[in-house]
Amino acid sequence: HQVLRVVPQSDEELQKVQELQDLEHLQLDFWLAPRGLGLPVDIRVPFPSLQAVKVHLEASGVSYSIMIEDVQALLEEEQMEMLHSSRQLPLDTDTFNYEAYHTIDEIYSFIDLLVAENPNLVSKLEIGRSTEDRPLYVLKFSTGGTNRPAIWIDTGIHSREWVTQASGVWFAKKIVQDHANNEGVASILETMDIFLEIVTNPDGFAFTQTKNRMWRKTRSKHSSSICVGVDPNRNWDAGFGEAGASSNPCTETYHGPYPNSEPEVKSIVDFVKSHGNIKAFISIHSYSQLLLYPYGYTDTPAPDQEELHEVSAKAVAALSSLYGTKFKYGSIVTTIYRASGSTVDWTYNQGIKYSFTFELRDTGRYGFLLPAKQIVPTAEETWLALKVIMEHARDNLY
Amino acid sequence: SVAMELPPSHFSAARAAAVAVGYLRYLRGGPGRGLELRELRRARRQDIDDVGHKYYLELELEDVLDKDRTVNCTAEVLYHLGSKTSAPDVQVTVQGELRSTEEAEQEFYNRIRSLEKELVAENIPDSHGNVPPELEPIHLLAWVASGYLIWQNSTENTTFHLAQVKHVKQVKRSDEDLQFDYVLLLHDMVSQEVLPWEVTLLWHPQRGARVSQS
């Protein structure tokens, strides 16, 4: 393998480099994707493809430099795992491996199994389809009633935050178990429904598995920009486009051309509006170990700041009680940064008072690449915090 | 001007702490020692006219290879006014002893020096967070190198963490230093960008680490 660096100086050169991205058989690995003129593009090229790539570039007079002469990779643990653990789809949710990261297919299979095993409690809703036409599935946990007050939880809106989707899978199973054993959230389910969207950004998730583990955004292409993706947590209609998001499509916090331009976002907006009775909305991210409430787009404190702060303190104490994991908490704008167009600012402004965002483990040691053995402890401790919020919502319905 | 108390949960305190930890990793880290922030206990900020913003921090640190122990330290981080090219000034005082790593580091040094083929590796940790045990010292040296980059490139509007070692290649030298050429992915929490940085780290068990400026 070699790593080549190209710095496109003209639109023609940029085009030539982009063409390489579509030649799947070359198995190129873009460490730095094409973003614009004058910006470096780093491509890891497997030995068999070297000739083809160099010819492609040289034929159009695109100059390149060889950044790394010879990449001799140690077989990644992941590749070993993929080979050894025969990647069969799960057979039931009891033997499902909650201590490992899974593919979209495996998670969607898990969802179907959970529904099949618990038809009186769990149903699967398709609330829309992603840019690349993947289904957007929400699990509904309900013991009956009609349009009961509800709790919404989403994981995986930023695709590289893998511990969140993995935790979402664990939450789904936990809800079913609590109900079966008449403990934990069973009491909440007597009067409220729970909605859980596990793979909120399936296109991004697929991309992290196949092409770029660090992909955050959706995979939409709006303008004539060569860059792909919108930050789904800047695309909501709350302070949209103001300070705290980027108007540059090539950046990680690009807000998109207009609010709800992303089907992944619009589908949730439509769902929330038509349901009309959601009382708590929790959006889950990683990493940093924070519990956050609105606002992100303004310094003005949320009218319910005091209550939200108190609930956060309780939730964080519950979380910490299990393994000692320390969380900080506060409003988005004072605790992490100014962020406009974010999910819970919109849901809060819709009247969903108990709107929270979590940033799960860790604080930077592994960051997005949290070891799989931390999935279950993370899900377990987070669940304690979620229960505090859910119970508070149930006991303080409005 | 007087130093104002900051709530430790405020983002500006967290950013200054990340700079202090980066600096400390560069100074005191090694293949046998990875320093991590356990808790930011206290933060104050002072705006100094015509100079910049100075943060006074009380930190509790742990060595990731010895998590039962922690060590306290104080740090001062001065971000220079309006300066995009100047690194923050950092001073750190560690109170107490860091665990000795002489033996482990000497063993690592001997192992690498005796390799016939130069070590090459990529994606540490891998997508699932795995780090093969024999690569853990290389991972910790990447922390040292990233500590330097984080210290040198931080501003009040960035919070850098090492996201992944994309690639590392050992370069055999005629002198006694070990040399590792790294491509490191740094994640900036504020912009959310994950960008590669090339850095060459030299390391010697007695002389410690330094980033090569070539």
Side-chain angles (χ1 to χ4, degrees), chain A residues 238-276:
Chain A
F240 178 86
E242 292 171 18
S246 168
S247 56
N248 177 347
C250 299
T251 56
E252 297 284 20
T253 57
Y254 174 49
H255 49 58
Y258 51 86
N260 308 328
S261 62
E262 303 313 281
E264 296 81 358
V265 169
K266 179 149 201 321
S267 56
I268 301 175
V269 168
D270 290 345
F271 179 83
V272 166
K273 282 180 161 171
S274 77
H275 185 280

Side-chain angles (χ1 to χ4, degrees), chain A residues 249-317:
Chain A
C250 299
T251 56
E252 297 284 20
T253 57
Y254 174 49
H255 49 58
Y258 51 86
N260 308 328
S261 62
E262 303 313 281
E264 296 81 358
V265 169
K266 179 149 201 321
S267 56
I268 301 175
V269 168
D270 290 345
F271 179 83
V272 166
K273 282 180 161 171
S274 77
H275 185 280
N277 207 16
I278 294 178
K279 298 300 176 191
F281 190 106
I282 303 145
S283 192
I284 302 191
H285 294 253
S286 77
Y287 59 95
S288 282
Q289 292 176 204
L290 301 171
L291 176 49
L292 306 165
Y293 51 78
Y295 286 114
Y297 73 92
T298 171
D299 284 319
T300 308
D304 302 289
Q305 153 122 334
E306 224 181 282
E307 185 186 356
L308 294 177
H309 199 76
E310 269 172 43
V311 174
S312 299
K314 261 188 88 184
V316 151

Side-chain angles (χ1 to χ4, degrees), chain B residues 120-184:
Chain B
V120 176
E122 53 179 26
N123 294 336
I124 308 168
D126 69 16
S127 286
H128 294 219
N130 296 317
V131 178
E134 68 273 14
L135 289 181
E136 185 61 33
I138 302 287
H139 187 208
L140 294 178
L141 277 177
W143 276 23
V144 175
S146 69
Y148 175 83
L149 292 175
I150 291 170
W151 162 40
Q152 290 289 306
N153 293 285
S154 287
T155 69
E156 280 175 291
N157 297 315
T158 61
T159 309
F160 288 112
H161 293 283
L162 174 64
Q164 191 182 39
V165 180
K166 195 67 194 163
H167 181 73
V168 59
K169 181 184 146 110
Q170 176 202 0
V171 176
K172 288 199 184 199
R173 295 172 65 90
S174 52
D175 63 21
E176 289 186 352
D177 284 335
L178 296 184
Q179 175 179 337
F180 296 98
D181 291 353
Y182 282 102
V183 176
L184 302 179

Side-chain angles (χ1 to χ4, degrees), chain A residues 1 5 29 31-32 35 42 44 67-74 76-79 81-82 87 100-102 160-162 208 213-214 216 231 234 250-253 287-288 290 326 328-330 332-338 359 362-373, chain B residues 7-12 14-15 25 36-41 60 62 64-65 67 117-136 139-140 143 159-167 169 183 185 187-196 198:
Chain A
H1 301 230
R5 168 163 286 184
D29 178 13
W31 286 5
L32 255 187
R35 287 171 300 148
D42 292 345
R44 185 187 62 150
M67 219 172 91
I68 296 173
E69 273 292 336
D70 182 33
V71 175
Q72 169 207 97
L74 283 183
E76 280 180 58
E77 279 293 302
E78 181 194 338
Q79 286 176 355
E81 234 177 90
M82 299 294 273
R87 286 211 101 85
Y101 291 111
H102 290 276
R160 62 190 179 195
E161 299 166 6
W162 278 18
T208 61
R213 176 63 178 83
M214 296 293 172
R216 164 186 169 91
D231 185 343
R234 299 288 186 280
C250 299
T251 56
E252 297 284 20
T253 57
Y287 59 95
S288 282
L290 301 171
K326 290 183 162 63
K328 295 199 155 72
Y329 58 97
I332 296 167
V333 74
T334 58
T335 311
I336 193 169
Y337 42 47
R338 188 178 289 263
E359 293 277 358
D362 60 13
T363 54
R365 177 171 177 191
Y366 290 96
F368 300 121
L369 308 180
L370 196 70
K373 64 181 190 280
Chain B
S9 61
H10 195 276
F11 63 74
S12 58
R15 288 176 198 177
R25 281 184 181 161
E36 176 75 83
L37 180 66
R38 173 77 74 90
E39 197 169 335
L40 172 59
R41 294 205 167 284
E60 192 185 349
E62 67 186 22
V64 297
L65 299 179
K67 295 183 93 150
K117 245 189 142 184
E118 287 170 330
L119 181 149
V120 176
E122 53 179 26
N123 294 336
I124 308 168
D126 69 16
S127 286
H128 294 219
N130 296 317
V131 178
E134 68 273 14
L135 289 181
E136 185 61 33
H139 187 208
L140 294 178
W143 276 23
T159 309
F160 288 112
H161 293 283
L162 174 64
Q164 191 182 39
V165 180
K166 195 67 194 163
H167 181 73
K169 181 184 146 110
V183 176
L185 293 182
H187 171 232
D188 170 30
M189 191 68 71
V190 180
S191 66
Q192 291 294 342
E193 300 295 329
V194 174
L195 294 176
E198 289 175 19

Side-chain angles (χ1 to χ4, degrees), chain A residues 21 57 67 107 112 115-116 120 176 191 216-217 220 225 237 241 262 266 292 309 349 363 367 373:
Chain A
Q21 286 186 296
L57 294 173
M67 219 172 91
I107 295 177
D112 287 339
V115 170
N120 294 329
V176 157
T191 53
R216 164 186 169 91
K217 302 187 286 183
S220 61
S225 167
D237 200 359
E262 303 313 281
K266 179 149 201 321
L292 306 165
H309 199 76
N349 284 348
T363 54
K373 64 181 190 280

Side-chain angles (χ1 to χ4, degrees), chain A residues 132-151:
Chain A
E132 291 174 349
D133 203 37
R134 290 185 174 84
L136 300 167
Y137 290 135
V138 171
L139 284 172
K140 176 181 180 182
F141 300 86
S142 177
T143 59
T146 313
N147 196 237
R148 280 180 175 170
I151 293 149

